[in-house]
């Protein structure tokens, strides 16, 4: 396949996704012309016509190969997603400066997508399904809900080739010594800073670092070791922290240690030669998928104790321990506040998140013999013929689709719902926050991670969480139950299951009504079993009513279009559109009530 056809393919794929998500978020409207034909009419006078299949989510699956750009009597195959955004700018209420930022991020995303299309060409879905988790993350498309998900503004072509996830290249960190009083830090009682060094450096490398410390008069009684990404050092730290460097409060020791592979999240790294070693999460001040990829300092002191508390819950709670639910614990965190930006109220958040690190347990360290781990995002990945990893796993497992899904839902959705109802803990469980542990190509259990900003608490009386660390209570958001339930509805159902159910409908002819019927059955069984032993949980199920008829439509792409690409003091917050019919509620209705009302509908690519 020639390079230009990859470019056209990447454009069609992104155009289909963009049309789909913008209609779903009600920024555009798709009118049905015939059984499978739809049209989006724009104020610019340009229309986009395509074939699509309606889904249970008031959302269209668009066939990217059928999209045509219609202007007057002229109809052309649509291979230019940038032109679409120009055509739709008035409808989307995009200011010229915002459109410029969007096109910048779009160009970067398309280049990255072309690299992925080329890279995956030689592999079938069955091949991808058998890759190790670390290998497979270098082949993944990224968040399906975000129209433009590989923008990485701040990087050029060289950085894409060297540091991007799809490049599949390992990176060695630079190491700094930071004077202790300059940091905000915390670590588990089971770990200290010297032990953390051993997770990244061999004995020989540690000796080389010690030699550098002696030469530069660094002693570990006064300093703390901190890894930094080479790009972050060159483009931000060496300039922004020049004052601390000149004073000797921060000392550059050099480049040491193992090679680390960037995961699909871009800023989390796995150890290449020693997969069981701790993962390292580092700030990268690039704008990617709606925000800068920094690390907020406010979670550093509570992260280890919060994740330890979560792990203790998973051990002592029979619903969680019986399902093998585990936590990828954040064992240490370190943040170096900027001397000047920290004093400026309202300074752009990216300046407050430039230097720090989080150390987190690796999934490999949790796997037993005969088990392997896989990021849940991998289930959504398709090969060049449109066949998915989830379907490949179902086929190779020897299980029926229903049985395979029962294992999946019992291992993932039930623990998330249980944490919500028993403890008032909401996790934004998108597909990159959940690691599946597989046994025989079926899901055996789940490992949860990423509590920095993706864990929130429900307001109300929850005596079961009375022992949560005070440091966590001081920084975690506490919101009403009807907000927190969206960490499950929107963070998981809409962001993950919406795409899985539609893919199985297309590829395995498995109806979405059956998909959500299986989920409803698993959740009802859980509710029935737990209320027999804990009758008070029935009240919690009413508070967190997962079977209510309607749920709010939370929109992330519209927020980016309205906020633009300028700096802000806080990260963007999603907005709410019109209500959706809840697929769980629909699955329990009589057949005549299950029919979706999709006159003007919404829309990912077939």
């Amino acid at each position: 396949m020639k390079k230009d056809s990859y470019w056209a393919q990447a454009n069609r794929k992104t155009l289909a996704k963009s049309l789909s998500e913008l209609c779903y978020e009600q920024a555009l409207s798709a009118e049905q012309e015939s059984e499978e034909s739809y049209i989006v009419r724009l104020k610019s006078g340009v229309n986009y016509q395509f074939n699509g299949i309606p889904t249970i989510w008031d959302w269209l699956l668009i066939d990217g190969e059928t999209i045509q750009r219609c202007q007057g009597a002229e109809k052309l195959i649509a291979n230019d997603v940038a032109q679409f955004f120009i055509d739709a700018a008035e409808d989307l209420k995009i200011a010229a400066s915002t459109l410029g930022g969007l096109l910048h991020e779009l160009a970067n995303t398309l280049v990255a997508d072309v690299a992925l299309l080329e890279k995956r060409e030689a592999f079938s879905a069955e091949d991808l399904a058998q890759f190790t988790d670390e290998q497979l993350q270098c082949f993944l498309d990224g968040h399906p809900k975000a129209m433009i998900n590989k923008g990485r503004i701040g990087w050029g072509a060289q950085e894409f080739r060297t540091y991007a996830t799809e490049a599949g290249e390992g990176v060695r960190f630079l190491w700094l010594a930071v004077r202790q009083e300059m940091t905000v830090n915390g670590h588990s009682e089971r770990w200290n800073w010297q032990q953390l060094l051993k997770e990244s450096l061999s004995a020989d490398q540690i000796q080389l670092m010690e030699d550098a410390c002696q030469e530069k008069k660094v002693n570990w009684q006064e300093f703390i070791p901190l890894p930094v990404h080479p790009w972050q050092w060159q483009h931000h730290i060496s300039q922004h922290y020049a004052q601390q460097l000149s004073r000797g409060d921060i000392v550059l020791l050099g480049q040491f240690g193992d090679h680390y592979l960037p995961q699909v999240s871009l800023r989390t790294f796995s150890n290449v030669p020693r997969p069981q070693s701790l993962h390292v999460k580092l700030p990268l001040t690039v704008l990617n998928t709606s925000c800068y990829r920094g690390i907020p300092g406010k979670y550093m002191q509570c992260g280890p104790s919060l994740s330890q508390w979560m792990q203790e819950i998973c051990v002592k709670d029979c619903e969680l321990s019986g399902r093998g639910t585990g936590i990828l614990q954040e064992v240490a965190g370190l943040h170096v506040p900027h001397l000047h930006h920290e004093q400026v109220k309202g300074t752009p958040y990216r300046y407050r998140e430039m230097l720090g690190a989080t150390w987190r347990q690796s999934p490999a360290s949790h796997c037993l013999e005969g088990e392997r781990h896989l990021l849940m995002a991998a289930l959504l990945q398709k090969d060049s013929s449109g066949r998915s990893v989830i379907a490949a796993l179902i086929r190779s497992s020897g299980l029926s689709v229903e049985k395979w899904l029962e294992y999946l839902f019992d291992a993932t959705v039930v623990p998330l719902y249980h944490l919500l109802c028993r403890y008032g803990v909401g996790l934004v469980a998108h597909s990159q926050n959940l690691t599946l542990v597989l046994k025989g190509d079926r899901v055996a259990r789940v490992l949860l991670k990423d509590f920095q900003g993706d864990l929130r608490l429900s307001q109300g009386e929850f005596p079961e969480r009375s022992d949560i660390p005070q440091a966590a209570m001081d920084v975690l958001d506490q919101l009403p139950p009807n907000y927190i339930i969206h960490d499950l509805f929107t963070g998981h159902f809409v962001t993950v299951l919406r795409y899985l159910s539609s893919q199985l409908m297309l590829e395995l002819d498995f109806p979405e009504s059956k998909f959500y019927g299986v989920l409803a059955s698993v959740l009802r069984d859980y509710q029935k079993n737990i209320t027999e032993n804990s009758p008070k949980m029935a009240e919690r199920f009413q508070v967190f009513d997962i079977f209510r008829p309607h749920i709010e439509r939370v929109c992330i792409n519209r927020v980016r279009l309205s906020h633009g690409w300028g700096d802000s003091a806080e990260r963007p917050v999603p907005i709410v559109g019109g209500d959706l019919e809840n697929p769980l509620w629909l699955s329990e209705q009589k057949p005549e009530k299950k029919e979706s009302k999709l006159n003007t509908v919404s829309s990912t690519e077939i």
Side-chain angles (χ1 to χ4, degrees), residues 44-45 75 113 144 196 229 235 239 249 257 293-294 330 349 355 365 408 410 498 518 600 603:
S44 61
K75 285 189 177 183
D113 284 342
L196 291 172
H229 192 283
H235 290 267
Q239 291 95 335
D249 293 328
R293 302 286 101 187
E330 296 167 12
Y349 69 87
L355 184 56
S365 68
L408 173 69
D410 192 62
R498 172 164 59 118
V518 173
T600 61
S603 328

Side-chain angles (χ1 to χ4, degrees), residues 524-559:
R524 288 298 192 194
D525 285 347
Y526 155 74
Q527 290 181 332
K528 178 176 179 292
N529 293 335
I530 198 170
T531 50
E532 288 176 356
N533 299 315
S534 305
K536 288 187 177 179
M537 282 293 286
E539 298 174 14
R540 300 277 179 87
F541 296 148
Q542 291 299 313
V543 172
F544 299 104
D545 184 5
I546 205 167
F547 289 93
R548 69 192 196 193
H550 294 93
I551 61 177
E552 294 81 7
R553 188 186 314 244
V554 177
C555 309
I556 65 163
N557 293 292
R558 282 172 57 186
V559 150

Side-chain angles (χ1 to χ4, degrees), residues 68 103 122 155 169 175 199 203 207 346 379 420 476 490 526 578:
Q68 293 183 305
L103 296 179
W155 278 4
E169 296 292 329
W175 286 84
E199 289 287 298
Q207 185 56 57
L379 298 182
L420 187 63
L476 291 175
T490 300
Y526 155 74

Side-chain angles (χ1 to χ4, degrees), residues 205-221:
Q205 288 289 303
I206 286 177
Q207 185 56 57
L208 289 173
M209 181 181 282
E210 288 300 329
D211 293 343
C213 287
Q214 287 185 10
E215 179 187 341
K216 300 185 179 187
K217 297 181 172 52
V218 167
N219 103 53
W220 293 126
Q221 306 306 312

Side-chain angles (χ1 to χ4, degrees), residues 100-134:
L102 184 153
L103 296 179
H104 182 175
E105 212 171 350
L106 175 62
N108 286 354
T109 297
L110 290 172
V111 169
D113 284 342
V114 165
L116 281 169
L117 288 169
E118 291 181 293
K119 189 170 184 174
R120 285 197 302 263
E121 185 69 27
F123 302 102
S124 66
E126 287 73 21
D127 295 330
L128 296 173
Q130 298 307 315
F131 281 3
T132 66
D133 186 14
E134 293 80 8

Side-chain angles (χ1 to χ4, degrees), residues 176-181 193-194 197 209-226 248-251 253:
L176 308 179
V178 185
R179 203 173 293 279
Q180 290 188 27
E181 59 265 30
W193 302 112
Q194 294 305 305
L197 274 178
M209 181 181 282
E210 288 300 329
D211 293 343
C213 287
Q214 287 185 10
E215 179 187 341
K216 300 185 179 187
K217 297 181 172 52
V218 167
N219 103 53
W220 293 126
Q221 306 306 312
E222 301 174 3
F223 288 83
I224 298 177
L226 174 63
D249 293 328
I250 298 177
V251 180
L253 299 175

